[in-house]
Structures are given as structure tokens and as C-alpha cells.
Amino acid sequence: MSEEIGISTEYIPLGQFLKLANIVESGGMVKIFLAEFEVFVNGELENRRGRKLYVGDTVEVEEFGSFTVVNEG
């Protein structure tokens, strides 16, 4: 089962999503994190921190689990 992460905007960049999900502590860590860990968005390997995530997208992070983008409120 995946953890739901709520956003209040139309989309969220992958880098900000990783911070919101408490996977990385700062934006500066995102680039390094994406180089060291496999991150899949909707089943496809993704390494662009600017990738736009929309409600309904699923993010799977190696060693951290699965997350689903949902509407907040």
C-alpha cells in the first residue's frame, strides 16, 4: 500500500515532492539523491527533479516505499 501525499496546487515538481514526503531534507540533496537511488514515476525510471507530478501519480522510491499524489482538502 502506498502512502498518500497531499498537494494544494495543480502539480508539484519531483524535487519538492521528495522534500514534502520527508525523503530528503533539503532541495540541495535532491540531485544527489536522484543520482544514488532509483525513483519511478508511474512505473518509469525518473531522474529529473523538475518532473511535474499531478494528482493520481504514483512515486516509488528505492528503500523508501511507494507514494501517491492526492488532492489536499
Side-chain angles (χ1 to χ4, degrees), residues 6-21:
I7 63 171
S8 59
T9 56
E10 181 185 354
Y11 67 87
I12 185 170
L14 178 58
Q16 288 183 6
F17 179 84
L18 293 174
K19 287 191 320 185
L20 187 63

Side-chain angles (χ1 to χ4, degrees), residues 13-57:
L14 178 58
Q16 288 183 6
F17 179 84
L18 293 174
K19 287 191 320 185
L20 187 63
N22 294 317
I23 296 171
V24 297
E25 292 180 16
S26 70
M29 294 178 64
V30 172
K31 188 174 184 179
I32 297 166
F33 182 86
L34 290 173
E36 294 181 1
F37 290 87
E38 289 189 338
V39 176
F40 294 87
V41 176
N42 298 328
E44 295 182 16
L45 185 60
E46 185 58 71
N47 60 7
R48 298 173 295 164
R49 63 184 176 196
R51 164 73 188 261
K52 295 178 180 176
L53 303 175
Y54 297 91
V55 171
D57 284 347

